[in-house]
Amino acid sequence: WNQLQWSADPRVRSYLIARLGKLGAHPKPLAERFAVEPDAGARRALLLALGGFPDAAFAPADRAALLAAARRTFDETPDPGLRAAAEWLLGTFDATLTV
């Protein structure tokens, strides 16, 4: 989880964000971690990584819960990077976002 936090050298973080979905990881642990992760940079990375998974990787209930969490994040967080990641994830999943 520490590798998802922002650092001066973003190579590992960027690699994980871009490839977790393509490498066959399961999205549920990432979504569960998003719910409890205190670090805003890691939360951004988790949302971006989750957007790299195909729809088929999510159970319908897990997908719905993730989208609800992304909507809450977009509505409630003052962090612009986290808001942007939530908005991007919602757009990736073609979820309706009422601003």
Side-chain angles (χ1 to χ4, degrees):
W1 300 122
N2 291 338
Q3 297 299 321
L4 293 174
Q5 294 178 354
W6 187 90
S7 72
D9 183 0
R11 289 178 289 182
V12 172
R13 181 178 185 258
S14 296
Y15 182 88
L16 290 171
I17 289 169
R19 292 178 179 83
L20 279 172
K22 295 175 183 150
L23 293 174
H26 197 280
K28 190 167 185 166
L30 289 117
E32 290 171 347
R33 180 63 185 201
F34 177 76
V36 299
E37 177 59 54
D39 182 76
R43 295 185 85 214
R44 288 182 212 125
L46 288 163
L47 288 177
L48 296 173
L50 285 161
F53 285 85
D55 278 343
F58 295 89
D62 293 339
R63 183 179 187 278
L66 174 60
L67 293 177
R71 282 189 192 100
R72 277 191 311 277
T73 299
F74 180 82
D75 290 340
E76 298 171 4
T77 188
D79 182 279
L82 194 48
R83 281 178 55 94
E87 182 178 23
W88 176 82
L89 179 72
L90 291 165
T92 297
F93 284 122
D94 198 25
T96 303
L97 178 64
T98 304
V99 178

